[in-house]
Amino acid sequence: MKKTIKFLTVLVLVCATVISLSSCSSDDDPTNNDFFAGTYKGSISYNDGSNTTSTNDGKVFVTKIASGTKYNFAFSDGIPDLNGVEFSKSGDNTLVSIGSTTSYIRIDNNTLKILYVKDGKTWTANCTR
């Protein structure tokens, strides 16, 4: 009986997680939501100074974290993630990264553009959803 209850509990948690993550449609705007999670698809690359990874069929999973101004970017194809990138709102439905002058990230409900340089490493993305 205990195994059945544990299994049902895990099943309910998994279902709730899947529903909450899939509820963010492509119409969701990252600037207006307290919680945002979305996948952008397109061209991505990473260069660490000695190796380069690049693909035209990459994915970037974007999540807005609890602070409301910081985002995480999880790249496909073994590219390291960018976490805790801070943004400010630009216009009605666009976010632009703030901080470093050598970095540019622009995100809205349809497009994601990244040129991010940190510690001699470069991330790029030109994606849509």
Side-chain angles (χ1 to χ4, degrees):
M1 184 67 169
K2 287 182 181 181
K3 287 184 179 182
T4 303
I5 291 173
K6 281 184 180 180
F7 174 76
L8 290 174
T9 302
V10 169
L11 183 63
V12 168
L13 289 173
V14 168
C15 288
T17 302
V18 167
I19 289 170
S20 68
L21 289 178
S22 65
S23 65
C24 292
S25 71
S26 61
D27 293 337
D28 285 347
D29 186 352
T31 62
N32 294 332
N33 290 333
D34 290 335
F35 174 78
F36 175 79
T39 301
Y40 293 79
K41 298 176 184 177
S43 173
I44 61 173
S45 69
Y46 173 74
N47 184 323
D48 66 5
S50 60
N51 295 313
T52 299
T53 302
S54 179
T55 181
N56 290 326
D57 297 321
K59 295 179 185 176
V60 182
F61 184 66
V62 179
T63 53
K64 185 177 190 179
I65 56 179
S67 71
T69 61
K70 293 185 180 179
Y71 286 73
N72 292 335
F73 300 88
F75 290 80
S76 65
D77 299 283
I79 294 175
D81 299 342
L82 290 173
N83 295 314
V85 179
E86 192 167 2
F87 283 85
S88 67
K89 192 171 179 178
S90 173
D92 289 338
N93 299 309
T94 303
L95 293 170
V96 178
S97 64
I98 58 176
S100 176
T101 59
T102 59
S103 299
Y104 174 82
I105 300 175
R106 186 175 181 99
I107 183 172
D108 64 26
N109 63 328
N110 295 318
T111 61
L112 171 66
K113 296 189 183 288
I114 297 175
L115 173 58
Y116 193 87
V117 180
K118 181 179 179 183
D119 300 329
K121 300 171 185 169
T122 305
W123 291 258
T124 65
N126 187 4
C127 302
T128 58
R129 64 178 194 139

